[in-house]
Amino acid sequence: MLFRPRYTIDTIYHLDTDMLHQLGIKAVFSDLDNTLLAWNKFETANEMGRLNERLADAGIKLVVISNNNAERVGKVLNPYQIDFVAKSKKPLPFAIKNKTQKMCLSSNQVMMVGDQLITDIQAGNLAGVKSVLVKPLVQTDKWNTRINRFLEKIIFFFLGLSHPVTFKETLKHG
């Protein structure tokens, strides 16, 4: 299904590198706001840096795929030397597909992690990569994301009728 994540996990920070290796993952693509970084707080930036180091030590590349502009994304990620694609136009899959090709990876070696069904999960599914839904880091959103959250409630309702979406500390099939 277009909006159903392949996996769920409560937070990106609980991704287990051993499990990622078992799944054949070479790159974790991630949304920025409310997935790696609370959109209105920069306190989680150090945790983001530690995740990047942990993944790198395991031979897995972290890449941020964001709809935000390059100035905003670069300001946050450059100090941590995290690669990114800005203005990605999610839910369109082109940024994910292009970055996958540039990294000489196949789609089954890439995982897209995000907190929104309508942008992150749909983009990952359309790109043919493994999609992972996480709970948002904070329960507030920028004004433009609130519309998506409203629509997500409807989608969650329909997803829940056939198979509920739940979050645990380890990767779980969505």
Side-chain angles (χ1 to χ4, degrees):
M1 180 179 220
L2 191 59
F3 297 110
R4 180 169 293 284
R6 179 86 163 275
Y7 301 98
T8 60
I9 192 167
D10 60 351
T11 176
I12 192 170
Y13 297 111
H14 287 160
L15 284 177
D16 179 271
T17 54
D18 290 334
M19 180 167 278
L20 294 177
H21 281 295
Q22 288 174 16
L23 294 171
I25 300 300
K26 304 272 187 208
V28 172
F29 291 0
S30 175
D31 178 47
L32 180 62
D33 290 326
N34 270 349
T35 300
L36 273 178
L37 184 73
W39 77 272
N40 59 351
K41 300 175 186 165
F42 289 98
E43 291 86 23
T44 50
N46 289 332
E47 193 173 8
M48 178 182 65
R50 287 190 295 275
L51 173 66
N52 185 45
E53 289 174 9
R54 188 166 55 87
L55 291 173
D57 289 347
I60 300 167
K61 178 87 170 155
L62 176 63
V63 178
V64 170
I65 308 289
S66 177
N67 284 346
N68 282 300
N69 64 55
E71 182 181 346
R72 156 92 166 74
V73 178
K75 180 180 174 184
V76 174
L77 299 179
N78 288 340
Y80 299 95
Q81 299 173 337
I82 297 173
D83 191 13
F84 66 89
V85 177
K87 292 187 176 181
S88 65
K89 299 181 179 153
K90 294 178 290 182
L92 297 175
F94 306 117
I96 295 170
K97 286 182 172 185
N98 290 340
K99 191 64 176 178
T100 299
Q101 282 183 329
K102 285 181 184 174
M103 294 175 72
C104 298
L105 297 173
S106 65
S107 59
N108 64 351
Q109 295 175 307
V110 175
M111 177 176 275
M112 177 65 205
V113 181
D115 67 303
Q116 290 189 63
L117 294 175
I118 293 174
T119 55
D120 309 315
I121 301 307
Q122 185 176 4
N125 288 344
L126 288 170
V129 303
K130 294 172 179 75
S131 59
V132 181
L133 182 67
V134 297
K135 287 193 282 189
L137 291 175
V138 293
Q139 294 305 311
T140 60
D141 287 300
K142 293 184 288 186
W143 69 269
N144 56 340
T145 305
R146 290 183 195 143
I147 297 165
N148 285 354
R149 294 285 184 212
F150 173 76
L151 295 172
E152 275 186 348
K153 287 179 184 178
I154 298 166
I155 295 168
F156 270 119
F157 173 77
F158 286 106
L159 288 177
L161 288 177
S162 60
H163 182 58
V165 176
T166 57
F167 298 96
K168 306 238 180 207
E169 280 192 40
T170 57
L171 280 180
K172 178 186 172 306
H173 279 278

